[in-house]
Amino acid sequence: MASGTRRFHLCAGPDALDQNPELMETARWAGVETIWLAGFLYGHWYYDPERTNAWAARIRKAGMRAEMIHVPLGHPGDSLGAQNGSPPLIPPGHWRQAVRVDGSRHWGTSLHAPAVEENEAAVRRWARSGFRQLFLDDDFRLATGPGKIGGCHCDEHWQRFRSKLGYDDGAREKLKEDMESRSLSPIVRAWVEFHCDELSNCFQRAAKATRDIQLGVMAMYLGSEKAGIRLKDYAGAPFRVGELMFEDRQFDPVKGKTDELFSSLFHRRFASPELSFSETTAFPAQKLSARNMAAKLAVSTLSDVRNTMFMSGLTPFPLTHWETLRPAMRRQAALHERVAGLRPHGPFKHYWGEASRYVGADKPYSLFLAAGIPFEVCGAAPHDGWTFLSDDDARTVKQSPGTRWVTRKDVPETLADLFALRRRILPELGRTPHIEEELPAVCSWLRERRQALIWNLSPEAKTLTVRYGGWRRRVETEALGLEVVDLGDPG
């Protein structure tokens, strides 16, 4: 099912492939073109490289590509979910723990020697084995999770930071106070940039370790500067956009879906569509239904993310999921062909500002995406329409002439309140296409081609009416289904 636009990938370790003999062929049958093998895990060669190379040879013989994924720094918890529970959950003893701002310690998501050097050596080893692409997984970050301001507060890092920036030891308490209050003060900004320098340097060193491998990075959900991920530093590299709703309980609510879409749209500001990959993850592997995994494919189509990466830690999701995924993959690939490269336009503005990126709690005002009004993604404060702000941005952003800020204080983030806002402003929208019904649905207006992408966010099939000036059309949508609508003459 090779497509000129949309391609499908699967991450699987040798254990998963050994213990599920049908997995490789089933994935190929469904339309997967590349299998990414788990390799180096935060300082451990958990899989013998010869065993991994043998699987790569089998994958290539089957007519697919085999590439590599690393977990470079570790994770402050079990992010792998292995079937036998055997991978060590912490780096080896010669790696060092990280120190949080409160002085507590944890393993993973910090940079101390020799982590950089050992990651470089691992990249070179796989290059010699014939791999040509390698992703550094989402544990390539310096924050323990979304909404955390990262960085290691050990004495070594503090002394390097204060020496480089000219702070005295008395500033350490000021840094702690400002981080706890999420104040984007000069010292917090300097701290964040210091750790962005560290992580970017680590990536660049690994990328330059060999000319034979193209290195990619994964950003966690809304991953940005406060996690050490200075997004502009990864322009031109394969980039996995951050998602989060890995279980049905997270993805089922409408806001779960709009949060997921919000993060993908944000990261696409910094990555080309051809080099963008999704994080279509089930974790734990059994917790995301086939129906919801198929529905997640719409997020990538709406964001123009050209590569779908199916993941579930080291344990594969149920083989029966592929029976649902195969037709959904084909449908999304066909839809994506029709809309690739087109930029959404609209009066509702998707904006994730500096405060959110540097010190924010990663709680976006995203539900406006479900209000049936077209939106556009803004890298700077816009000058028209209605701009929806996180609480962090609302405290710090300066007025921008022409746009109307919408905060949770102005309009509570509920569908009822957003539909009430919509009723008030509809007379101002003129010839802007929108969905007439007050039902949760995304309307993405592809103005250049006079098309709209409609994503029904209800768990049941719905008939939705698209209005474009005097033109109206009823659209039958499946449960959680995505449709392309060719807009007529608005009259």
Side-chain angles (χ1 to χ4, degrees):
M1 194 188 66
S3 162
T5 297
R6 188 73 165 268
R7 297 185 179 277
F8 298 93
H9 308 248
L10 172 67
C11 179
D15 279 348
L17 294 165
D18 280 338
Q19 296 166 20
N20 299 270
E22 300 173 60
L23 178 57
M24 180 180 72
E25 182 55 33
T26 300
R28 190 194 67 79
W29 164 80
V32 167
E33 300 175 38
T34 305
I35 293 181
W36 297 72
L37 294 161
F40 180 77
L41 306 180
Y42 40 82
H44 299 283
W45 288 99
Y46 175 64
Y47 297 113
D48 179 84
E50 293 309 312
R51 182 181 173 204
T52 303
N53 287 333
W55 262 112
R58 291 177 63 179
I59 292 165
R60 292 166 184 145
K61 187 176 180 180
M64 307 166 75
R65 289 177 56 204
E67 300 297 357
M68 183 56 58
I69 282 187
H70 280 188
V71 181
L73 300 182
H75 192 283
D78 180 10
S79 64
L80 297 177
Q83 289 174 307
N84 57 16
S86 68
L89 296 180
I90 61 175
H94 65 282
W95 284 28
R96 292 175 53 188
Q97 285 184 291
V99 179
R100 297 184 179 92
V101 66
D102 64 3
S104 62
R105 294 176 177 270
H106 68 89
W107 284 104
T109 62
S110 73
L111 278 174
H112 296 93
V116 175
E117 293 77 11
E118 292 189 14
N119 273 285
E120 289 179 63
V123 171
R124 286 193 292 268
R125 184 167 190 169
W126 290 125
R128 292 193 297 269
S129 297
F131 293 93
R132 293 296 171 256
Q133 285 189 307
L134 187 152
F135 261 113
L136 301 180
D137 205 280
D138 77 327
D139 304 312
F140 188 69
R141 51 185 166 94
L142 299 181
T144 54
K148 305 292 186 183
I149 305 172
C152 180
H153 293 261
C154 71
D155 288 341
E156 176 192 334
H157 275 104
W158 169 253
Q159 293 303 328
R160 285 170 45 206
F161 170 71
R162 64 173 292 276
S163 297
K164 182 178 180 179
L165 279 300
Y167 289 102
D168 59 33
D169 278 335
R172 200 167 190 175
E173 190 61 31
K174 170 65 172 171
L175 173 64
K176 179 179 179 180
E177 292 173 359
D178 288 353
M179 287 181 64
E180 290 176 344
S181 66
R182 295 187 181 274
S183 170
L184 186 49
S185 63
I187 193 170
V188 170
R189 182 186 293 277
W191 177 259
V192 168
E193 292 290 350
F194 171 80
H195 282 87
C196 286
D197 290 344
E198 273 219 327
L199 199 64
S200 295
N201 179 64
C202 177
F203 180 87
Q204 290 157 10
R205 285 183 57 174
K208 293 175 182 177
T210 172
R211 296 181 179 180
D212 295 327
I213 279 187
Q214 182 184 38
L215 205 65
V217 67
M218 182 199 160
M220 65 180 175
Y221 172 74
L222 290 172
S224 55
E225 285 80 357
K226 61 179 172 284
I229 305 168
R230 188 163 48 215
L231 293 161
K232 66 180 183 180
D233 292 354
Y234 302 96
F239 190 100
R240 288 218 327 269
V241 302
E243 300 165 20
L244 184 67
M245 312 308 160
F246 303 147
E247 305 179 35
D248 286 345
R249 66 179 179 84
Q250 297 170 316
F251 189 75
D252 278 338
V254 173
K255 183 161 168 58
K257 299 176 183 67
T258 59
D259 279 352
E260 196 95 316
L261 178 58
F262 190 99
S263 181
S264 182
L265 290 167
F266 163 58
H267 281 149
R268 270 284 288 107
R269 283 166 44 184
F270 302 91
S272 71
E274 296 83 5
L275 292 176
S276 295
F277 287 69
S278 77
E279 186 195 355
T280 305
T281 298
F283 193 84
Q286 306 280 347
K287 293 294 187 178
L288 187 70
S289 64
R291 167 174 151 164
N292 278 341
M293 185 170 277
K296 275 175 171 272
L297 301 178
V299 172
S300 290
T301 306
L302 286 158
S303 307
D304 199 9
V305 170
R306 306 286 175 88
N307 297 276
T308 295
M309 177 78 82
F310 293 112
M311 303 185 69
S312 54
L314 297 180
T315 298
F317 52 79
L319 277 175
T320 52
H321 274 31
W322 293 105
E323 297 169 8
T324 299
L325 290 175
R326 184 175 189 253
M329 291 157 63
R330 290 174 177 268
R331 175 163 175 73
Q332 291 295 330
L335 291 175
H336 210 147
E337 287 284 351
R338 296 178 60 187
V339 301
L342 299 179
R343 185 167 62 90
H345 293 269
F348 279 6
K349 309 300 179 181
H350 173 298
Y351 176 68
W352 195 237
E354 192 174 65
S356 290
R357 290 167 58 175
Y358 277 74
V359 295
D362 285 349
K363 298 185 183 300
Y365 192 141
S366 71
L367 202 58
F368 74 90
L369 294 166
I373 297 292
F375 61 89
E376 60 190 63
V377 180
C378 302
H383 300 290
D384 62 343
W386 290 260
T387 304
F388 294 80
L389 298 178
S390 72
D391 295 346
D392 303 291
D393 286 329
R395 286 192 293 268
T396 59
V397 75
K398 296 179 180 179
Q399 184 59 47
S400 178
T403 196
R404 281 166 272 190
W405 301 127
V406 182
T407 71
R408 291 185 175 97
K409 289 183 178 179
D410 304 318
V411 180
E413 193 180 9
T414 71
L415 283 173
D417 287 288
L418 283 162
F419 285 134
L421 170 68
R422 196 179 79 158
R423 288 193 293 274
R424 293 196 300 272
I425 69 174
L426 273 177
E428 301 180 50
L429 296 185
R431 294 182 175 183
T432 298
H434 62 274
I435 296 168
E436 288 188 347
E437 291 79 10
E438 292 188 356
L439 293 170
V442 175
C443 178
S444 179
W445 182 20
L446 310 177
R447 191 171 62 190
E448 294 94 334
R449 202 172 291 172
R450 221 188 224 176
Q451 290 176 321
L453 269 170
I454 307 299
W455 187 21
N456 171 22
L457 300 181
S458 298
E460 307 88 17
K462 296 291 182 182
T463 300
L464 300 173
T465 307
V466 180
R467 177 181 285 276
Y468 182 36
W471 180 90
R472 295 172 76 246
R473 177 178 168 184
R474 292 170 67 81
V475 181
E476 304 295 332
T477 64
E478 297 178 352
L480 305 178
L482 185 71
E483 299 289 339
V484 178
V485 178
D486 293 314
L487 300 173
D489 187 343

